[in-house]
Structure formats: C-alpha cells, structure tokens
Amino acid sequence: MIRINFKNYNYLLLISMIVVGVILSFSDLLQPMISESDAYARVNVAISQKNAGLFFNKYGGTWLPFYFTIMSSLLSIFNYPLLVPRLVTLFFSLGSVIAIYFYTKLFTKNKSIALLSSLFLLLFPLRIYLGTQTLSEPIFVFFLLTSFVFIAKDRLSYKEIFFSLCVSIVVSAFSLSFVSFPIALILTY
C-alpha cells in the first residue's frame, strides 16, 4: 500500500497551479506576438546578440540586459526565435505566482490565504496575456515580489544578507548603473 504524506500538500497544490498556468498560457503561445514594436525589437536584439556571439551586451539601451542574456543563451540552444523568448517570460511570470505565495505566507502566516492569493494572480488575465509576450514587465514583477519575500522575513541570516548583496551586485553589474546598486540592495534586503 502506498502512503502519501500530505504534510506539505500546499506545495503540491502550488505545483499543480503552475501546471494549470502553463496550460492556460499555452493557447496564447500559439498565437502571434502582440503587434507592438517593443516585443519584436527585444527578440531582434536577442537574435543579434546571439549571432554576434555576445554573452552580455552592455549597449542594450534601457531594457534589461540580463533578460537578453537569458534569451540569447537559450536561442543558441533552441533556435525558435518566436517561442523561446516568450517561454522565458512565461517562466518569470509563473515564478511571480510562486513568489506571491511565499510573500503572502510570510505576511499572513496562513497557507490557505497564500494559495488563494497565488490563484488570483495565476488567473489574472493581464498576467496570462503579458506572461506570453516578450515584454519586461513580468520580469520586473518577479524580481520585485522576490525582494518582498526577503523584506518580509523577520530575521535575516548571514547567508541571506550575503545572497542579497550578491544579487544587488549582479543586478547593478547587468544594468551598468551606479544608481541601481542601492536600489537593488534595498529591494533585496
């Protein structure tokens, strides 16, 4: 007889919600990208970065250079330029659902409310739509919610403080702006 431990059933529900999120987004992935110049321009920048053999392009403008690094790296492995960048955005969009779960669980100390808030974000039509496009808003939301998780913790260990400093340095290095380091440090601390 197989026994299943339902002690952490909330994580099982969260994983099943993520699977539902992928299923909900699948129909949008089959549709063409939105007819906005930013969406196609980001894909073109990632393709040109891949074709030039650049891992990191510091001349990416005001967009997220780290986003282009991820897209061009994955485009080097899987050469589907109209799908791979959208899957990267979908990954970060669904990561926001996980981040809101942990943030709400830390804030309310109630796993049921955390699951409900994650479900609301998962089913939010704008999240479903923007999560399948090559725009940077889902990536910003993911990193913002992840930083809120660190802020909501009662006590930070030395490992978490070290992780926050490392993330801040990486974010500021990828954005190439001295102004972004204190902002990244505040958001990850």
Side-chain angles (χ1 to χ4, degrees), residues 84-147:
V84 170
R86 296 170 77 184
L87 289 175
V88 170
T89 309
L90 179 63
F91 174 78
F92 281 107
S93 176
L94 293 174
S96 298
V97 173
I98 296 171
I100 201 76
Y101 170 79
F102 286 111
Y103 175 70
T104 309
K105 188 174 89 169
L106 283 170
F107 187 69
T108 63
K109 310 281 192 253
N110 189 333
K111 294 177 183 178
S112 299
I113 293 174
L115 280 172
L116 188 62
S117 65
S118 295
L119 181 67
F120 285 155
L121 180 61
L122 180 75
L123 298 177
F124 187 56
L126 193 59
R127 193 229 37 98
I128 295 170
Y129 180 70
L130 289 179
T132 58
Q133 304 302 322
T134 57
L135 301 172
S136 58
E137 285 81 4
I139 290 97
F140 282 120
V141 169
F142 169 76
F143 284 115
L144 184 68
L145 289 173
T146 305
S147 66

Side-chain angles (χ1 to χ4, degrees), residues 45-64:
V45 169
I47 290 171
S48 65
Q49 185 173 332
K50 177 195 77 133
N51 291 340
L54 293 172
F55 178 71
F56 178 71
N57 183 7
K58 63 182 181 178
Y59 303 108
T62 59
W63 291 332
L64 292 170

